[in-house]
Amino acid sequence: MVSLGPAYRRPTELEADMAAVLDVRNLSMDFGGLRAVDSADVAVEEGEIVALIGPNGAGKTTFFNCITGMYKPTRGEVRIHPPGKEEKTITGLRPNRVTENGLARTFQNIHLFQNMTVLENVMIGRHSRLKAGLFGALFRNPATRQEEERVVEESYQILEKIGIARYVNELAKNLPYGAQRRLEIARAMATDPFLLLLDEPAAGMNPHETRDLDDLIIKIRDSEGITILLIEHDMSLVMRLSERIYVMDYGKLIADGTPAQIRKDPAVIKAYLGEDFNA
């Protein structure tokens, strides 16, 4: 059976002090004369579900793009500490190298291979962990064939975990919208991440689909041992799921804390939530 990580166990207080799997320091991103992200410091501990919220255009997706190698930040450092491995800097690495180091992401706008099947989409993610080199791919030796068979089996198991195995042979473009969102998460999980970054995973979902997404995110954290950092505008989802929240406005982090602290923060209420917020 495919394992996407150890069963989740909440770190002790002593462990938590040492368990920041993502540590972003003084991160800035400039586009010409525009500073989209301004000196952001974010830390995510092992096993947490952490949200990054703020108005449209606040710099949240740009922040994700800097972490995952889509952009090279103008200034700052991105450090990771995968469980059981040494801490390292990934600042400025290409996206494929970031993925190899255990970070995976989804996108605000769905990025699937629409004319490939559901299984093939997940297999593409799984292939990032293949050991077969160019020789094996060209000459299809027994070891390569066995490895490819494992990829098929493991990809199907991931679809079962995400709850969309019934669509295994459907083209991605023919899936219902909510299932496409889940497929993107499945493909990201196929890369064996220790940290999953979700960019507006509930966008476009109806209330029932959003509730199901709640359960899925908790399952990914608790059953698969994957830490979660998400961007989301659905404040009900954010307040239900998140253990900590960072708030960004005009590229700057203006607050961080627990959901209870954030919902009462005057700066957050003024910039984003509004006086009538009651999620």
Side-chain angles (χ1 to χ4, degrees), residues 263 265-278:
R263 71 169 69 239
D265 189 297
V268 179
I269 292 170
K270 180 180 179 181
Y272 186 51
L273 295 181
E275 297 289 345
D276 297 328
F277 175 73
N278 58 7

Side-chain angles (χ1 to χ4, degrees), residues 18-174:
M18 307 168 62
V21 295
L22 175 69
D23 188 5
V24 181
R25 304 177 185 179
N26 199 34
L27 190 78
S28 294
M29 184 69 216
D30 296 339
F31 297 101
L34 172 66
R35 174 150 293 180
V37 178
D38 190 355
S39 305
D41 293 325
V42 170
V44 180
E45 294 178 358
E46 182 181 355
E48 283 193 305
I49 299 175
V50 176
L52 176 62
I53 67 172
N56 288 326
K60 306 181 298 298
T61 295
T62 299
F63 179 81
F64 265 29
N65 287 341
C66 290
I67 294 173
T68 57
M70 305 291 287
Y71 299 148
K72 183 176 181 180
T74 304
R75 186 178 70 236
E77 185 177 33
V78 180
R79 298 191 65 82
I80 59 170
H81 194 173
K85 298 182 180 180
E86 293 185 359
E87 186 179 26
K88 65 171 64 175
T89 299
I90 61 167
T91 317
L93 292 184
R94 293 181 179 274
N96 64 307
R97 294 294 311 283
V98 172
T99 301
E100 290 170 4
N101 278 282
L103 276 68
R105 71 170 293 180
T106 65
F107 292 85
Q108 182 177 350
N109 299 313
I110 295 174
H111 285 190
L112 295 173
F113 296 98
Q114 296 287 347
N115 291 311
M116 290 185 175
T117 68
V118 167
L119 182 65
E120 289 168 342
N121 268 270
V122 179
M123 287 174 61
I124 287 173
R126 201 73 189 154
H127 271 85
S128 68
R129 296 300 183 189
L130 286 184
K131 297 178 181 179
L134 179 61
F135 180 85
L138 288 175
F139 294 100
R140 303 271 300 163
N141 58 50
T144 300
R145 290 195 297 271
Q146 290 174 6
E147 192 172 43
E148 290 182 350
E149 289 171 1
R150 285 197 302 271
V151 167
V152 172
E153 179 183 353
E154 291 167 354
S155 297
Y156 184 78
Q157 290 172 8
I158 293 167
L159 291 173
E160 289 186 312
K161 290 173 183 287
I162 300 299
I164 54 173
R166 64 187 181 277
Y167 298 118
V168 61
N169 292 318
E170 292 282 348
L171 295 181
K173 66 183 180 182
N174 294 334

Side-chain angles (χ1 to χ4, degrees), residues 42-45 48-52 229 238 241-246 256-259 262:
V42 170
V44 180
E45 294 178 358
E48 283 193 305
I49 299 175
V50 176
L52 176 62
L229 176 61
V238 168
L241 288 182
S242 305
E243 290 150 321
R244 290 191 301 116
I245 301 171
Y246 286 90
D256 68 88
T258 65
I262 292 300

